[in-house]
Amino acid sequence: MQNKLIKLSGLSMIFPDDIVVKICSYSRGLPRIINTICTHCLIDIKVSELELVDMNVLERVIADLKL
């Protein structure tokens, strides 16, 4: 269902499934930490002019946040 909604919206998924799993692992499922990681990932891909979050982006964010 979610993929259908994304297609209808014209947006693309910028957090691939493997990245989502890693974010959940690093955050231990805590919503505030998930939010912080995702926000920093979005900032990173905007600055880096990327289209999706990859492992390099996530590792930079995790290192910067010292998680």
Side-chain angles (χ1 to χ4, degrees):
M1 179 67 174
Q2 182 181 8
N3 287 337
K4 288 181 183 180
L5 293 175
I6 290 172
K7 286 180 185 177
L8 286 173
S9 71
L11 300 173
S12 62
M13 179 56 77
I14 58 173
F15 289 92
D17 291 340
D18 61 325
I19 298 299
V20 172
V21 170
K22 290 287 188 186
I23 290 171
C24 288
S25 173
Y26 284 123
S27 69
R28 298 173 309 279
L30 298 171
R32 185 175 293 185
I33 297 174
I34 292 170
N35 243 0
T36 301
I37 292 170
C38 291
T39 299
H40 283 80
C41 284
L42 292 172
I43 292 167
D44 188 290
I45 65 169
K46 179 66 176 174
V47 169
S48 302
E49 297 180 354
L50 300 172
E51 293 186 15
L52 60 93
V53 177
D54 61 16
M55 195 55 70
N56 292 328
V57 170
L58 182 58
E59 288 175 354
R60 274 195 304 269
V61 167
I62 296 301
D64 286 348
L65 295 174
K66 296 178 178 39
L67 294 177

